[in-house]
Amino acid sequence: MRVFAFVIVFLVGFGLGHSPVDPTTTQEYKDLHEQLVSQQEQTQDVQDQLDDLNGQVDDLDMLRQQLDEQKQQLDKQKETLDKEKQTLDKQKSEQDKRQKEQDQRQSDLDTREQNIAQREKEKQQREQEAMAAAQAQQQAQQQPQPSQNAYYANCTEARAAGVAPIYRGQPGYSSKLDRDGDGVACE
C-alpha cells in the first residue's frame, strides 16, 4: 500500500511539477496524504497484531514442546506401569495357581477328616455293640440259673424266679408250661 500511495503522490507531483502551483497545497495531495497516514496506521496495527500473533505462536510452540516432553515422560511412566502390571499379573497367576493347589489340599484333608470321623463313628458303634453284648452276657450270667431239679407250677413262678422263657432241654421246662408246643415255655 505504501508503494501504491507513493507512486500516486509521485505522479501527481510530477504532473503538477509543470505548473507553477505547489503540489502539496492541493486538495488531492492532502487527501492522498491522509490516506497514506491512515494506511500507515493500519499497517502499524496489522504489524502489531502480527507481532502479537507471532508471540502467541512462540508461546504455543513452547507449550507444545512442554507438552511433548510431558507426553514422553507419561509414555515412560506408562511403559513402567505396563511392566509392573505384567509382573503383578504374573504374580497373581502364580498366586491363583498356589491357591488352587491349596484348595485341593484342603479338599483332600477334609475328605480324609470325614473318612477318619466315619471310621471313628463306626469304631465307637462297634465298641458300643461289644459293650452291650458284654453287658447282656454279664446280665445273663448274673441271672439265677435254674437248678437241675427246678420245677415251676406255673409261668408266674418261672417269671418270679427270672428264668422265663424256658427252652426245651433247660431245667424247669415242662410241656404243661408250653401251651403251643413250640419248645418255649412261658413266653
Side-chain angles (χ1 to χ4, degrees):
M1 283 303 252
R2 289 181 186 175
V3 174
F4 178 70
F6 177 76
V7 170
I8 291 176
V9 170
F10 179 76
L11 289 177
V12 169
F14 184 77
L16 293 175
H18 294 304
S19 67
V21 180
D22 183 12
T24 58
T25 59
T26 65
Q27 184 62 35
E28 188 177 348
Y29 177 80
K30 290 179 183 177
D31 290 341
L32 286 173
H33 184 61
E34 285 179 24
Q35 287 178 0
L36 178 62
V37 169
S38 173
Q39 286 295 324
Q40 286 174 343
E41 289 174 357
Q42 287 179 359
T43 302
Q44 185 60 41
D45 289 344
V46 168
Q47 184 64 42
D48 290 344
Q49 289 177 357
L50 181 61
D51 290 343
D52 288 344
L53 289 175
N54 283 335
Q56 289 178 1
V57 166
D58 290 342
D59 291 344
L60 290 174
D61 284 343
M62 189 183 318
L63 184 62
R64 183 182 53 80
Q65 186 177 4
Q66 290 173 352
L67 290 174
D68 287 344
E69 290 172 2
Q70 288 177 356
K71 182 183 178 294
Q72 288 175 356
Q73 290 174 353
L74 290 174
D75 287 344
K76 288 179 183 179
Q77 288 176 354
K78 181 185 179 291
E79 187 176 317
T80 302
L81 289 175
D82 286 344
K83 288 179 182 178
E84 289 177 7
K85 182 184 180 292
Q86 288 175 351
T87 302
L88 289 174
D89 286 345
K90 184 177 178 180
Q91 289 174 351
K92 183 183 182 300
S93 174
E94 290 171 0
Q95 186 176 10
D96 287 346
K97 182 180 176 182
R98 280 186 249 134
Q99 184 65 39
K100 282 182 181 180
E101 290 171 356
Q102 186 174 3
D103 289 345
Q104 182 62 41
R105 285 187 212 127
Q106 185 64 43
S107 175
D108 292 346
L109 282 174
D110 290 345
T111 302
R112 288 179 194 160
E113 286 178 5
Q114 288 174 355
N115 290 339
I116 289 171
Q118 181 67 28
R119 288 181 198 146
E120 287 291 325
K121 186 177 178 182
E122 291 171 359
K123 180 181 174 185
Q124 286 177 353
Q125 206 170 20
R126 285 192 303 264
E127 287 174 356
Q128 288 174 353
E129 289 172 359
M131 287 176 69
Q135 285 176 352
Q137 185 179 11
Q138 187 179 16
Q139 285 177 353
Q141 289 174 356
Q142 289 176 355
Q143 284 184 354
Q145 296 294 327
S147 65
Q148 296 291 354
N149 299 331
Y151 171 77
Y152 302 104
N154 56 34
C155 285
T156 304
E157 281 183 23
R159 285 189 189 102
V163 293
I166 306 170
Y167 296 95
R168 186 177 292 142
Q170 287 183 333
Y173 175 81
S174 169
S175 60
K176 71 177 188 172
L177 297 176
D178 187 4
R179 293 182 191 255
D180 55 3
D182 65 352
V184 180
C186 300
E187 26 186 2

